[in-house]
Amino acid sequence: MTVQPKTAVEPAVHAPPAEIAARAHADAARYAQMHARSVADPEGFWGEEGRRLDWMRPYTRVKNTSFGPGEVSIRWFEDGTLNVAANCIDRHLKDRAEQTAIIFEPDSPEEPAQHVSYAHLHAEVSRFANVLKALGVAKGDRVVIYLPMIPAAAYAMLACARIGAIHSVVFAGFSPDALADRINDCGARLVITADHAPRGGRTTALKSNCDKALRRCSDRVKLLMVARTGGQVDWLEGRDHAYEAMAAQAPADCPPVEVGAEDPLFILYTSGSTGKPKGVVHTSGGYLLYAAITHHYVFDYRDGDVYWCTADVGWVTGHSYIVYGPLANGATTVMFEGVPTYPDAGRFWQVCEKHRVTQFYTAPTAIRALMGKGAGPVEACDLSSLRILGSVGEPINPEAWNWYDETVGKGRCPIVDTWWQTETGGILIAPLPGATATKPGSATLPFFGVQPVVLDDQGHELDGPAEGVLAIKDSWPGQMRTIWQDHERFAQTYFEMFKGYYFSGDGCRRDADGYYWITGRVDDVINVSGHRMGTAEVESALVAHDKVAEAAVVGCPHPLKGQGIYCYVTLMDGVEPSDALRKELADWVRTEIGPIAKPDAIQWAPGLPKTRSGKIMRRILRKIAENETDALGDTSTLADPAVVEDLIANRVDA
Ligand code: WTA
């Protein structure tokens, strides 16, 4: 049922469809009651929910967390022990050995899909774990995974978990340099890759990227290669190992290792306001529980469902909602190797039809791109299996929301707009399909155990309807524990600015119904096609080019990507600006970081607006990029106000 808005500014409210509410894991009353309890008695609530997992040694202590003052310390279920892979595989063998765990849909629709049962997953992961052991990987060691979206990526992650090794998945779209930085930062002893990665009908030479990256790493780092295409690769005897040959020798049995709830499960690098990407550390017990319970409630997952999250395992969404959450719940999860528009703009819908997908979870950027292709490709497919639609990664604009609702969901599938972050491990704010009325563009209400607050610039909590920065008042089990080997930076980044709170870096508005509307980042992080990018990273790539003297990078509105990358570049004396140079610089950034960092606009800037103390006034640069030049605000503190006139006059379109 849709209630039309009373005024133009008030959005339509979509109540949960009655048939969904009647069968869902939670209706409105149950959500309210469970949320209230989870906040009033977190020990009791999570103490009970923790039993969703199989523990080797049960915990007696549930929550031991502090956001300061004093040391920031986050521990959940700290005296419990478990094995994450056993929770995702072994414990399901009794009831669902023959059930499909993973449906693999290859890049090319010509190539047959694979159905991996839980029994088969058990054998593959055990064998993979034995290969890791044969290569000397032991509990606590770091393993970098640089793979396409193939089942081996999940096997590799779970194999690490099985032996207590810590994985760090690097998105296969990242450059050799970005890969090397991550291998070095986490001190990995092994990198797992594939020969080539097919994607969208093209292939990326992953092995060759690894070869380049490893030139910048210690000689001790070994390479394990999975064959995906069978294509040509270079081989370094002694360093390189072929997975298939080793697996043929490996036993198919590998006992899961007992790890502490607070032992790290993985490190995932993500962009921040400053410096190089930081290694976000998630641990075993709390993370897995939180991924599982959110997957259960937010997607209303039930036996027999076929759940598809279109993310890549290189991002946190792939970790929590392709691999760990669904498999911990004994679900059937789809892994898709390709892209939404290959071979044509109907691919997502063809895959939904082919596998009878019940939950479909994607990013607004994909929805906008497909919306641009019209309703035809959607209507060519039978989407009657769909029950719930999800959105993640960036704010979803109401036009895209409505198209998703009407054209894809035919008005009968609740949309769960899920707000969360690499740091939060799982979904923090989202509707529950049978419980929460939705409004296009709002992530709605907090999940169990989550206490969002809206703060003003001084860090005061605002009541009622309000706009400010989004922070979280107390810990939840899926929260990141630290930055790899830099606890100080962890405390400083997230807990320093607003004392006693976890600071998200996002701005938000809360309406009269208590619904949250995420307004975007308030820091120097931009969100390009749902991918996080630090403006500082793009700037340092630009200034590494020998024709560039100085660079400043900001986000700008982009019709498909949400935000685009807008670069102001000051050239070295004597270098002439040209379109050819623009292209050269854009390609340069692409090679330095990866295709997702390719600039959308490069403006030549003879000078950048700076304060008298030499600080770049990014606020002004953002306004110019957004083409809001009549709202520049106070420019009186600028060292040279004429610089701004020039920038406005020479603005470029992204
Ligand atoms: C943004 C992705 C609005 C936000 C899971 C956040 C969103 C950043 C939403 C984290 C949403 C994510 N609505 N904005 N539903 N989901 N974001 O770490 O700015 O890649 O801080 O995690 O994406 O991106 P990350």
Side-chain angles (χ1 to χ4, degrees):
M1 184 190 68
T2 305
V3 180
Q4 283 310 317
K6 290 184 247 9
T7 66
V9 286
E10 206 176 312
V13 177
H14 299 249
E19 64 278 19
I20 297 225
R23 292 183 60 201
H25 294 312
D27 61 12
R30 188 162 143 83
Y31 164 73
Q33 176 259 321
M34 282 178 75
H35 188 266
R37 158 125 203 267
S38 70
V39 167
D41 176 20
E43 303 263 345
F45 181 86
W46 291 112
E48 283 165 31
E49 291 296 342
R51 293 194 206 113
R52 284 174 182 272
L53 302 183
D54 273 9
W55 297 84
M56 289 173 165
R57 186 176 72 219
Y59 49 84
T60 62
R61 186 149 195 202
V62 175
K63 181 176 188 282
N64 180 10
T65 65
S66 169
F67 286 2
E71 209 201 331
V72 176
S73 155
I74 294 147
R75 290 192 212 116
W76 285 86
F77 312 107
E78 59 187 317
D79 59 349
T81 64
L82 75 169
N83 181 277
V84 168
N87 270 280
C88 291
I89 310 168
D90 305 44
R91 66 173 173 149
H92 305 313
L93 294 179
K94 192 163 63 66
D95 298 324
R96 39 180 108 238
E98 297 315 316
Q99 184 204 304
T100 300
I102 298 175
I103 299 177
F104 170 57
E105 174 67 26
D107 185 51
S108 163
E110 309 290 316
E111 194 181 326
Q114 283 172 33
H115 288 73
V116 180
S117 68
Y118 274 94
H120 190 65
L121 181 64
H122 181 258
E124 291 286 355
V125 169
S126 302
R127 224 187 307 274
F128 213 119
N130 283 325
V131 169
L132 296 182
K133 284 204 255 183
L135 289 169
V137 179
K139 187 174 175 180
D141 286 344
R142 275 80 60 204
V143 173
V144 162
I145 299 175
Y146 185 65
L147 282 173
M149 280 289 292
I150 54 176
Y155 303 159
M157 292 164 77
L158 291 161
C160 287
R162 198 162 188 89
I163 63 172
I166 305 167
H167 62 70
S168 186
V169 183
V170 176
F171 175 55
F174 276 125
S175 68
D177 267 349
L179 174 62
D181 286 345
R182 286 155 175 81
I183 293 171
N184 291 335
D185 187 83
C186 74
R189 62 149 61 216
L190 176 71
V191 50
I192 304 173
T193 191
D195 42 11
H196 298 266
R199 202 154 174 270
R202 290 195 291 235
T203 57
T204 310
L206 289 189
K207 168 67 166 71
S208 146
N209 281 355
C210 279
D211 292 340
K212 290 185 194 125
L214 288 178
R215 280 183 218 138
R216 285 189 39 211
C217 303
S218 149
D219 295 342
R220 289 194 304 274
V221 184
K222 294 180 183 162
L223 182 149
L224 178 64
M225 190 191 85
V226 176
R228 170 64 183 107
T229 63
Q232 190 62 40
V233 293
D234 291 339
W235 203 253
L236 188 62
E237 224 38 73
R239 184 197 68 182
D240 297 348
H241 302 266
Y243 177 74
E244 290 71 19
M246 291 190 76
Q249 308 292 317
D253 178 56
C254 172
V257 165
E258 180 172 3
V259 306
E262 285 300 341
D263 284 342
L265 174 63
F266 66 84
I267 303 168
L268 186 58
Y269 286 85
T270 194
S271 299
S273 269
T274 53
K276 294 223 169 206
K278 37 189 190 234
V280 168
V281 176
H282 282 288
T283 57
S284 302
Y287 168 80
L288 188 65
L289 170 64
Y290 198 75
I293 186 176
T294 47
H295 174 258
H296 175 82
Y297 280 104
V298 176
F299 298 102
D300 196 40
Y301 186 85
R302 279 186 260 138
D303 272 349
D305 283 351
V306 175
Y307 161 91
W308 182 19
C309 165
T310 69
D312 190 286
V313 288
W315 312 111
V316 74
T317 309
H319 282 63
S320 302
Y321 299 113
I322 294 177
V323 179
Y324 289 116
L327 296 180
N329 290 337
T332 299
T333 180
V334 178
M335 272 185 98
F336 175 47
E337 191 181 30
V339 299
T341 49
Y342 176 79
D344 58 58
R347 188 69 192 279
F348 270 3
W349 323 123
Q350 291 148 17
V351 174
C352 284
E353 174 182 271
K354 177 172 173 188
H355 298 299
R356 304 296 295 158
V357 169
T358 44
Q359 288 92 346
F360 177 72
Y361 189 28
T362 196
T365 186
I367 300 168
R368 284 191 297 267
L370 297 175
M371 183 167 83
K373 310 283 179 190
V378 190
E379 271 151 22
C381 296
D382 172 7
L383 298 183
S384 59
S385 60
L386 288 176
R387 194 169 84 239
I388 285 149
L389 301 174
S391 172
V392 63
E394 47 174 321
I396 176 164
N397 48 312
E399 298 72 27
W401 198 103
N402 287 325
W403 186 82
Y404 202 24
D405 177 43
E406 290 157 20
T407 306
V408 180
K410 310 286 182 277
R412 43 167 206 87
C413 304
I415 295 181
V416 290
D417 175 0
T418 63
W419 175 81
W420 59 296
Q421 310 177 295
T422 306
E423 293 89 337
T424 70
I427 295 164
L428 291 199
I429 303 181
L432 302 190
T436 319
T438 54
K439 304 181 191 183
S442 172
T444 77
L445 299 173
F447 191 74
F448 306 136
V450 176
Q451 300 180 59
V453 290
V454 184
L455 303 178
D456 68 15
D457 290 347
Q458 275 72 51
H460 302 119
E461 277 185 38
L462 301 171
D463 292 327
E467 184 154 356
V469 302
L470 176 60
I472 313 290
K473 208 168 171 157
D474 197 2
S475 184
W476 62 97
Q479 183 170 24
M480 76 182 281
R481 302 303 198 251
T482 191
I483 291 175
W484 180 252
Q485 292 195 321
D486 200 348
H487 198 68
E488 184 52 43
R489 186 174 173 203
F490 172 61
Q492 218 207 332
T493 308
Y494 302 104
F495 303 94
E496 192 57 36
M497 185 117 82
F498 302 105
K499 300 253 182 317
Y501 299 95
Y502 166 78
F503 169 51
S504 69
D506 279 321
C508 85
R509 181 166 71 78
R510 187 174 50 218
D511 72 14
D513 294 325
Y515 276 37
Y516 290 86
W517 301 73
I518 310 301
T519 50
R521 301 287 307 195
V522 296
D523 54 10
D524 291 322
V525 171
I526 52 182
N527 197 321
V528 186
S529 299
H531 299 316
R532 252 167 95 160
M533 188 50 48
T535 51
E537 287 167 67
V538 184
E539 286 164 8
S540 65
L542 281 167
V543 296
H545 191 284
D546 60 9
K547 291 180 185 151
V548 174
E550 200 172 22
V553 174
V554 297
C556 63
H558 189 285
L560 288 182
K561 300 179 174 183
Q563 278 189 301
I565 302 177
Y566 195 106
C567 311
Y568 297 90
V569 172
T570 309
L571 294 171
M572 291 289 188
D573 275 348
V575 177
E576 279 304 310
S578 67
D579 283 348
L581 183 55
R582 249 201 201 105
K583 177 161 187 321
E584 183 181 328
L585 293 182
D587 288 343
W588 168 264
V589 175
R590 191 177 193 276
T591 323
E592 287 279 296
I593 304 176
I596 54 169
K598 187 170 180 185
D600 294 285
I602 294 178
Q603 171 168 0
W604 306 122
L608 292 169
K610 292 186 186 164
T611 60
R612 287 185 194 100
S613 59
K615 204 168 150 347
I616 295 178
M617 291 189 74
R618 311 179 63 88
R619 174 177 57 80
I620 293 178
L621 294 176
R622 267 186 227 118
K623 288 286 178 207
I624 297 174
E626 288 163 8
N627 207 6
E628 290 186 8
T629 45
D630 42 0
L632 286 187
D634 185 11
T635 54
S636 62
T637 54
L638 281 176
D640 177 9
V643 163
V644 175
E645 318 270 294
D646 176 87
L647 292 181
I648 293 174
N650 294 299
R651 187 186 170 276
V652 294
D653 282 320

